[in-house]
Amino acid sequence: MKVFSAVTFVLLVACVRGESAVTDGLSVEDMLDRCMDGRHHKTQPGPEGSLYNQCAPWKDRACCRASTTEQLHQPLWLNFDWHHCGQLSESCERHFKQDLCFYECSPNVGPWLVPVNMQIRNERFAGVPLCATDCNRWWTACKDDMTCSGNWGVSWNWTSGQNTCPHGAECRTFQDYFGTPSNFCRNIWNGSFEVVDDSAPCFTQWFNGTNPNDRVARLRAEEIVSARGGAVTSASAPRLLVVAIFIAMGLAMGLDFLN
Ligand SMILES: *[C@@H]1O[C@H](CO)[C@@H](O)[C@H](O)[C@H]1NC(C)=O
Ligand SMILES: *[C@@H]1O[C@H](CO)[C@@H](O)[C@H](O)[C@H]1NC(C)=O
Ligand SMILES: *[C@@H]1O[C@H](CO)[C@@H](O)[C@H](O)[C@H]1NC(C)=O
């Protein structure tokens, strides 16, 4: 009984938490002033005197620190080995570094944050609209390089402390694993990006000067708030009810699960 109720407790909490988006209840400005809750991210975006090498474009307003940008240019940032099927080409590696700068530094992903439960972070971004041109360049740089996975977000053997190819996962070209640029950009990080036509509001990982993604994030944040309309309270009511029922259950069980 104790084990059962402890499990129920965990599942219920996960369920209640899982339903809520990180953006719930946030104003447009709050969504635009957020950094991902990750191991190396700052709590809020702000200026950095200078950022290292490929991360420099984010220096005016960044979620990363200078030290982070220097370290992520070294191998095995977050214990992740890009070269799991031999060395990536230099141009492909440059794109993955830029993507890493975006991951650590971008102050624009607030509207796309969702909760996750991982060692390296409590949030991830999902479905960030990447411009087709950006995606195509990344793909062109990498398509003839080798990998053993069509989803770098999930399919690894981490036993050794860094990602290695699990038994049976063959090293083949990106072309073989992903087929098309949009499959590649969508699946490489388990749905972190989706690819949209350049004529729609979309993100680029490459820019100089003013961050062009600011405008795109604001549009999305405004969309989220206006879609909410007056439904905020009624949308959170069922969740509160679940919590209330659950607390009542817990009390009825004499809080067994806490023992
Ligand atoms: C994972 O790697 C370890 C060695 O680090 C190996 O012993 C194990 O068999 C591997 N498991 C899979 C599923 O590949
Ligand atoms: C991968 O994406 C799926 C679908 O969005 C999600 O359910 C899963 O938790 C994700 N896995 C990781 C490790 O991010
Ligand atoms: C940014 O500036 C660098 C150096 O001048 C240049 O090589 C690069 O093409 C520029 N990138 C963009 C996206 O404008």
Side-chain angles (χ1 to χ4, degrees), residues 101-124:
C101 287
F102 176 88
Y103 171 81
E104 295 290 353
C105 300
S106 177
N108 301 123
V109 296
W112 290 272
L113 289 176
V114 293
V116 288
N117 183 7
M118 295 174 71
Q119 279 174 27
I120 55 162
R121 57 173 187 243
N122 298 315
E123 295 171 352
R124 64 177 295 225

Side-chain angles (χ1 to χ4, degrees), residues 157-160 164-167:
N157 182 347
W158 286 99
T159 312
S160 70
T164 59
C165 298
H167 291 309

Side-chain angles (χ1 to χ4, degrees), residues 103-205:
Y103 171 81
E104 295 290 353
C105 300
S106 177
N108 301 123
V109 296
W112 290 272
L113 289 176
V114 293
V116 288
N117 183 7
M118 295 174 71
Q119 279 174 27
I120 55 162
R121 57 173 187 243
N122 298 315
E123 295 171 352
R124 64 177 295 225
F125 53 86
V128 163
L130 188 63
C131 299
T133 301
D134 244 54
C135 178
N136 290 342
R137 290 201 180 117
W138 191 357
W139 170 247
T140 303
C142 296
K143 68 180 169 46
D144 299 325
D145 284 326
M146 306 294 279
T147 182
C148 61
S149 161
N151 186 339
W152 286 16
V154 298
S155 40
W156 297 110
N157 182 347
W158 286 99
T159 312
S160 70
Q162 71 185 58
N163 60 308
T164 59
C165 298
H167 291 309
E170 281 174 46
C171 288
R172 286 187 265 142
T173 62
F174 280 69
Q175 175 82 59
D176 283 341
Y177 270 102
F178 298 98
T180 65
S182 47
N183 278 346
F184 166 66
C185 293
R186 188 184 325 113
N187 295 339
I188 185 81
W189 295 124
N190 195 32
S192 292
F193 296 106
E194 66 178 46
V195 180
V196 307
D197 193 88
D198 286 23
S199 60
C202 61
F203 274 33
T204 175
Q205 297 186 331

Side-chain angles (χ1 to χ4, degrees), residues 11-59:
L11 286 180
L12 266 173
V13 170
C15 163
V16 171
R17 280 187 51 133
E19 264 179 19
S20 64
V22 170
T23 52
D24 274 6
L26 293 189
S27 69
V28 169
E29 298 309 320
D30 287 344
M31 274 184 252
L32 298 180
D33 197 31
R34 259 191 90 91
C35 292
M36 180 193 304
D37 180 1
R39 182 182 289 173
H40 300 281
H41 291 77
K42 304 195 300 198
T43 42
Q44 278 188 314
E48 294 287 314
S50 67
L51 291 177
Y52 189 71
N53 202 337
Q54 285 181 234
C55 301
W58 282 276
K59 71 177 166 40

